[in-house]
Amino acid sequence: MSDISRRQFIKISSAAGGAAALAGGLALTSGGPAEGAVKDPGTQGDKVIPTFCELCFWKCGVLAHVKNGRVTKLEGNPDHPLSNGKLCPRGTGGHGLLYDPDRLKKPLIRAKKRGEDVFQEVSWDTALDKVATGMMDVRKKHGPEALALFTHGFGGSWFKHLFKAYGSNNIAAPSYAQCRGPREVGFYLTFGQGIGSPEAVDARNARCITLIGSHLGENMHNTHVQDLAHALDRGAELVVVDPRFSTVAGKAKYWLPIKPGTDIALLLAWMNVIISEGLYDKDYIAKYAMGLDKLKDHVAAKTPEWAYPLTGLQPSLIRDSARFIASARPASLVHPGRRATWYGDDTQRERAKAMLAALLGSWGRKGGYLLPSSMSVPAFPYTAYGYKPKEVRDRIEPSLYPLADEVLASGMCDATIPGKAKNPIKGWFVYGTNLMQSLPDPRQTIKAIQSLDFMVAIDVMPAEICGWADVVLPESTYLERCDDLWTPAYREPFVAVRQEVVPPMYESKPGWWIAKELGHRMGLSDYFPWKDSKEYAKHRVKAAGMDCEALMKTGVIKGKLTPTTEEEGLTLAFDTPSKKIELWSAQMESLGFHPMPEFTPPEEPPDGHFRLLFGRHPVHTFGRTTNNRFLSQIFDENEVWINADAARALPGFEGRALKTGDRVVLINQDDVKSNPVRVKVTQRIRGDAVYMVHGYGHTAKGLKFARGRGASDSDLVTNYKVDPVMGGTGMNINFVRIERAPARV
Ligand code: MGD
Ligand code: SF4
């Protein structure tokens, strides 16, 4: 990366500390290197072990420096296509997790009532026997599908395998129904395929990048931020749609401070301008798309003047930005964003985004959406699973959302609450997801948990969810274990390996070991024929005809480049029923939904209330990192953004107007009250909404650093609107009022 783009990268990530972290890697001076270790010329004979990151789900390639058995520095692997030699600030602080003094250290069994968070330390044998017995009891009494696996993170693959061998396909991650599910379905309906993760977009070559509610830079996906920095260096311009003047909005040619919940109106108005002025890619649409005439009719009356009172955006701003977006086509990237579960009409909004991308001719085009393939590495030749997935899926009534193509985490929670499902779920196996902060309405989550026969949590930290489990198993962190191989479809196909950088600390164990031990205890040894994860990975690498040693030495093997755009020789094909890009969707119509996105006005905040919005911080990944003392040197507590004029007009604050740093409590429409939290009084947000970073306000007593810092947006998300198309939970429909926090004693 050039120096200029490095500076851009730092600026985009906004946090000053993030910059420091990035420049050199956060060094830690404060616990046998792996087979793939090589000499580190920079640290006089110390070892450098390639692996990949797990501080978020982007999974960048890491070079871990080890001195005297301790990890001293984490930096980006220059050979890895996702890191290109750089990590984001979070990734450089991964040893803050490894050396977190609050880590789970031993297996635990509940000693008092469920939820009282009182546990007794036990041996691994005792804990594993208890989990295996719990799982077998559920199967005997209620059938295997009565056990649900909530999983998030790469290590979950071992438990997905265990579950399928056991007989249940009730496996879900919050990253679908609470995050990117509506986007996947919206793009699938339009182009015949979803976006996937990591999102393969060509920001690097784009001339215009449109970000709709995506605060890239604060929401830090390393490769995308690097690409954005390159694009800005090359003179690309940004259009940012956000009720908040985000860091990236500060770099935009057009900032559209939209009224929350009205993006569909804006997208329809943009399409109105682009179609009525003939600015769309006529050849591309004629060749690849169907339904243009119907779209023309659909948006004919949706002028910028129509959208103005709905969105609060001046018609001239809508018109000018539409013309600008179209002027850069096809290298005009409407970024797909990630968390799309906002208002319950999210599949339709994501479809509108996909339709706009189609009009710009940017799908499968340079500077737009790339269509890469992944490297082919044969799966391990396991004994075939015995379950019948269809029967298992049908057990969850709420998953009758017709276009849900994954099991819904919220659906599994619903199906646990007595009276909500014909055959309720009776056991939870929770791997790497803090459901108290990731599912909407924690009150419902608790109700579900209290009706379980059995619950186990596998985590590295004593998160809130662990406090509710019957058994808690301490997993080794990603720096202490080898996992499955990773072969995503990205610009450059590659296979990456996660290796043990240092041996597991305390009595923690890697996921593969836990899954294998449970398998043996349940008579499923045939499904775990390998000695360890290394033997498993080597088998797969060999079957692919690749060199294991080379992979362990470099951490990554890149495949042959294949064309990813039309310009590179790719022939575009669409796996939709019509085999065309579907601007008009017969599938949606046949299911009783509108075949084109319709705007429905969002509910207004009640008097004296603000809409609660939440997002990310560049040095944190939800609650996953908020106890990381390293990263918290940069940002240790969230704050609530409130518009300065709105703050002055707040009832009850007369004569003593709120100022930045004051502490307040937020009270939602259901009278749920937050912890005290600092305010940031600013002109950088609209007056009808407040904003906070997600993942704070921990209550778990074991999180000694994070506990009590900031407030939890999740606790205030007691209301949500389910997307009828795919079951995503729109969570931006909660309102809060503000009261001054009682003085601290
Ligand atoms: P995290 O908050 O990162 O993710 O929600 P989660 O899936 O819960 O919590 C992950 C848990 O995994 C932590 O307890 C952490 O200690 C543990 N962990 C970390 N590394 C490992 C490991 O290697 N092994 C094991 N076993 N455990 C590990 C995210 C989800 O939440 C998502 S993806 C989105 S997009 C939604 N975001 C969101 C929001 O912004 N606001 C609200 N209100 N709700 C949300 N829900 C969704
Ligand atoms: Fe790690 Fe950052 Fe990459 Fe996420 S984006 S995998 S936290 S380096």
Side-chain angles (χ1 to χ4, degrees):
M1 206 191 308
S2 72
D3 274 353
I4 298 173
S5 57
R6 169 191 275 257
R7 276 202 302 277
Q8 288 275 26
F9 183 103
I10 290 166
K11 277 198 261 164
I12 293 163
S13 73
S14 91
L22 210 96
L26 280 166
L28 182 78
T29 39
S30 41
E35 249 170 89
V38 290
K39 291 238 168 147
D40 171 15
T43 52
Q44 296 165 349
D46 279 351
K47 300 281 174 24
V48 178
I49 298 145
T51 185
F52 60 85
C53 186
E54 184 78 16
L55 275 234
C56 87
F57 311 111
W58 202 250
K59 303 191 265 293
C60 297
V62 170
L63 294 181
H65 295 239
V66 180
K67 190 170 190 170
N68 301 328
R70 303 274 297 180
V71 176
T72 54
K73 190 167 85 171
L74 301 171
E75 61 182 359
N77 183 345
D79 294 328
H80 196 290
L82 294 183
S83 46
N84 303 307
K86 298 271 176 296
L87 298 180
C88 86
R90 294 168 298 170
T92 59
H95 35 5
L97 170 68
L98 175 65
Y99 299 124
D100 191 319
D102 300 339
R103 273 180 61 177
L104 289 169
K105 300 182 176 81
K106 291 186 173 181
L108 303 171
I109 288 189
R110 178 162 63 79
K112 289 208 170 161
K113 271 206 207 129
R114 190 178 273 157
E116 284 186 6
D117 200 356
V118 180
F119 290 89
Q120 185 191 340
E121 291 180 352
V122 293
S123 68
W124 269 101
D125 268 340
T126 307
L128 291 168
D129 287 349
K130 175 123 177 129
V131 176
T133 307
M135 290 174 75
M136 294 307 277
D137 282 353
V138 169
R139 185 158 84 176
K140 219 183 306 152
K141 280 198 212 142
H142 312 284
E145 66 277 21
L147 192 70
L149 170 62
F150 295 85
T151 168
H152 203 185
F154 196 67
S157 64
W158 308 111
F159 300 99
K160 289 180 190 166
H161 171 61
L162 175 71
F163 252 60
K164 290 176 184 173
Y166 164 92
S168 176
N169 199 30
N170 278 332
I171 300 172
S175 50
Y176 184 76
Q178 282 65 54
C179 188
R180 57 194 173 81
R183 181 192 77 182
E184 295 306 299
V185 177
F187 277 73
Y188 157 79
L189 283 166
T190 313
F191 296 110
Q193 73 181 79
I195 302 289
S197 174
E199 291 84 354
V201 291
D202 194 16
R204 185 169 281 247
N205 290 307
R207 293 195 293 128
C208 169
I209 301 168
T210 301
L211 297 167
I212 304 173
S214 174
H215 52 329
L216 193 56
E218 285 161 274
N219 162 18
M220 172 65 73
H221 282 148
N222 188 8
T223 334
H224 279 189
V225 179
Q226 292 187 26
D227 286 351
L228 187 65
H230 269 285
L232 292 175
D233 272 359
R234 286 185 22 262
E237 302 267 22
L238 302 174
V239 176
V240 175
V241 183
D242 199 313
R244 195 175 62 96
F245 191 66
S246 58
T247 307
V248 77
K251 314 204 162 305
K253 182 176 175 75
Y254 294 102
W255 171 47
L256 290 83
I258 196 164
K259 177 175 172 177
T262 66
D263 298 78
I264 293 183
L266 171 67
L267 285 156
L268 294 173
W270 270 350
M271 289 196 270
N272 167 290
V273 175
I274 289 171
I275 292 176
S276 65
E277 298 187 9
L279 304 177
Y280 61 97
D281 191 331
K282 297 191 186 76
D283 295 342
Y284 182 93
I285 290 291
K287 188 167 172 192
Y288 296 125
M290 55 80 76
L292 179 68
D293 287 342
K294 286 183 172 140
L295 178 59
K296 268 186 191 162
D297 292 347
H298 186 65
V299 298
K302 310 286 192 302
T303 60
E305 286 69 22
W306 165 81
Y308 172 43
L310 307 173
T311 59
L313 302 170
Q314 291 289 340
S316 57
L317 180 58
I318 297 178
R319 202 163 263 118
D320 291 350
S321 52
R323 289 175 183 152
F324 180 72
I325 290 169
S327 72
R329 70 171 173 77
S332 185
L333 173 66
V334 179
H335 194 281
R338 197 149 163 121
R339 191 179 79 80
T341 44
W342 298 352
Y343 296 96
D345 56 359
D346 304 305
T347 302
Q348 289 286 29
R349 185 190 61 251
E350 296 302 308
R351 209 172 113 63
K353 254 200 236 170
M355 288 156 67
L356 175 61
L359 291 177
L360 299 170
S362 63
W363 180 265
R365 288 282 197 62
K366 188 173 172 189
Y369 285 81
L370 303 174
L371 302 172
S373 29
S374 54
M375 250 168 109
S376 157
V377 179
F380 194 91
Y382 284 127
T383 312
Y385 300 126
Y387 73 89
K388 299 191 184 84
K390 197 164 179 312
E391 282 172 24
V392 175
R393 272 293 288 280
D394 284 351
R395 183 155 196 142
I396 301 192
E397 267 80 14
S399 81
L400 295 175
Y401 299 104
L403 288 171
D405 56 358
E406 286 186 26
V407 180
L408 313 174
S410 36
M412 295 203 307
C413 181
D414 283 351
T416 309
I417 296 171
K420 287 219 182 180
K422 241 190 332 225
N423 302 300
I425 284 178
K426 299 304 288 182
W428 281 14
F429 196 113
V430 183
Y431 174 84
T433 173
N434 188 10
L435 297 176
M436 304 315 297
Q437 285 201 337
S438 59
L439 291 177
D441 199 354
R443 301 169 308 178
Q444 292 295 307
T445 311
I446 291 171
K447 207 187 245 184
I449 290 174
Q450 291 296 26
S451 55
L452 289 171
D453 285 2
F454 173 70
M455 173 173 164
V456 52
I458 303 185
D459 209 303
V460 290
M461 298 296 300
E464 282 76 13
I465 193 66
C466 299
W468 293 92
D470 302 317
V471 184
V472 179
L473 303 179
E475 197 188 15
S476 313
T477 68
Y478 71 100
L479 292 167
E480 303 162 294
R481 64 181 201 241
C482 174
D483 274 325
D484 203 346
L485 302 168
W486 195 44
T487 57
Y490 205 63
R491 185 194 296 266
E492 242 181 309
F494 66 89
V495 53
V497 66
R498 173 170 285 151
Q499 309 195 73
E500 182 185 297
V501 171
V502 287
M505 291 173 69
Y506 316 113
E507 288 185 29
S508 71
K509 295 282 186 190
W512 64 263
W513 182 89
I514 301 171
K516 185 174 157 86
E517 287 292 322
L518 287 173
H520 287 323
R521 283 168 169 78
M522 293 191 290
L524 301 171
S525 297
D526 283 358
Y527 291 94
F528 296 90
W530 30 263
K531 178 166 75 63
D532 56 24
S533 58
K534 245 185 240 166
E535 188 179 291
Y536 162 93
K538 279 184 180 167
H539 185 103
R540 289 192 65 200
V541 176
K542 265 198 202 140
M546 286 185 292
D547 180 345
C548 283
E549 268 180 39
L551 179 59
M552 288 191 292
K553 209 162 167 177
T554 57
V556 65
I557 291 180
K558 292 187 240 186
K560 210 166 129 248
L561 284 176
T562 54
T564 58
T565 58
E566 231 185 10
E567 291 86 341
E568 291 172 356
L570 182 74
T571 305
L572 298 192
F574 305 94
D575 198 11
T576 54
S578 64
K579 303 294 170 210
K580 295 257 184 190
I581 297 172
E582 299 203 338
L583 299 174
W584 185 87
S585 173
Q587 265 191 95
M588 287 287 271
E589 190 176 52
S590 68
L591 292 166
F593 301 116
H594 204 290
M596 283 185 176
E598 281 281 12
F599 172 68
T600 331
E603 203 187 320
E604 296 291 332
D607 262 2
H609 284 67
F610 300 84
R611 186 178 296 278
L612 176 66
L613 301 178
F614 41 85
R616 311 282 185 243
H617 186 274
V619 301
H620 286 290
T621 309
F622 327 117
R624 178 170 287 249
T625 53
T626 43
N627 204 68
N628 184 320
R629 287 158 172 85
F630 233 28
L631 297 175
S632 298
Q633 287 173 23
I634 298 162
F635 188 81
D636 65 352
E637 184 173 338
N638 65 353
E639 53 197 0
V640 54
W641 290 37
I642 176 168
N643 175 273
D645 300 328
R648 268 192 294 277
L650 273 179
F653 287 79
E654 296 82 6
R656 218 158 57 98
L658 268 185
K659 55 183 191 322
T660 295
D662 286 354
R663 294 178 91 80
V664 296
V665 290
L666 307 177
I667 302 152
N668 82 354
Q669 70 284 334
D670 295 324
D671 278 332
V672 173
K673 219 173 189 174
S674 77
N675 282 349
V677 56
R678 284 189 319 229
V679 283
K680 170 172 170 153
V681 178
T682 171
Q683 291 292 355
R684 289 176 55 188
I685 186 165
R686 287 173 53 99
D688 51 3
V690 293
Y691 172 84
M692 60 207 286
V693 169
H694 172 57
Y696 281 86
H698 284 284
T699 51
K701 60 185 179 199
L703 298 175
K704 297 208 172 69
F705 182 82
R707 186 178 188 209
R709 283 179 194 261
S712 164
D713 56 306
S714 309
D715 286 353
L716 298 167
V717 177
T718 50
N719 196 11
Y720 58 94
K721 199 165 183 182
V722 180
D723 187 329
V725 183
M726 52 62 66
T729 54
M731 296 185 277
N732 291 13
I733 60 163
N734 290 271
F735 303 109
V736 291
R737 62 192 165 84
I738 295 178
E739 279 182 7
R740 205 177 276 281
R744 283 201 274 194
V745 278

